[in-house]
Amino acid sequence: MEPTKRLEELNNEALEKLEEYMKTKGEATAEHHEKVGAAKDKWQAAWNEFLETLMVLEKLEI
C-alpha cells in the first residue's frame, strides 16, 4: 500500500498549501469562507471516492 500512502501525503500537502495560500490573501468574508468550505468538502468527497476506487482495483489486482 506504499502508493496509497504517498497519495495520502500528497492530499495532505495540497490541503496545507491551500491553507497557506488562504492566509496570504488576508481575511475572507463569510461568503468566501462558505465557498471554500464547500470546495474542501467536495475535494474530500472526491478524494474518498478515489481511494475507494483504488481499493476495488487493488482487490481485482488490476
Side-chain angles (χ1 to χ4, degrees), residues 50-61:
F50 176 69
L51 285 181
E52 288 175 14
T53 303
L54 285 179
M55 285 190 281
V56 168
L57 292 174
E58 188 175 281
K59 287 180 184 177
L60 294 174
E61 295 181 356

Side-chain angles (χ1 to χ4, degrees), residues 5-27:
K5 231 180 198 184
R6 178 63 181 137
L7 289 172
E8 186 66 39
E9 290 171 2
L10 289 172
N11 181 51
N12 290 335
E13 184 179 326
L15 290 173
E16 287 173 11
K17 288 187 182 215
L18 172 65
E19 291 296 326
E20 289 174 15
Y21 176 76
M22 294 295 294
K23 287 179 185 176
T24 65
K25 294 300 177 184
E27 191 62 35

Side-chain angles (χ1 to χ4, degrees), residues 28-46:
T29 63
E31 180 184 343
H32 289 122
H33 279 291
E34 288 179 26
K35 286 182 179 181
V36 169
K40 281 184 180 179
D41 291 343
K42 285 181 182 180
W43 174 277
Q44 283 304 121

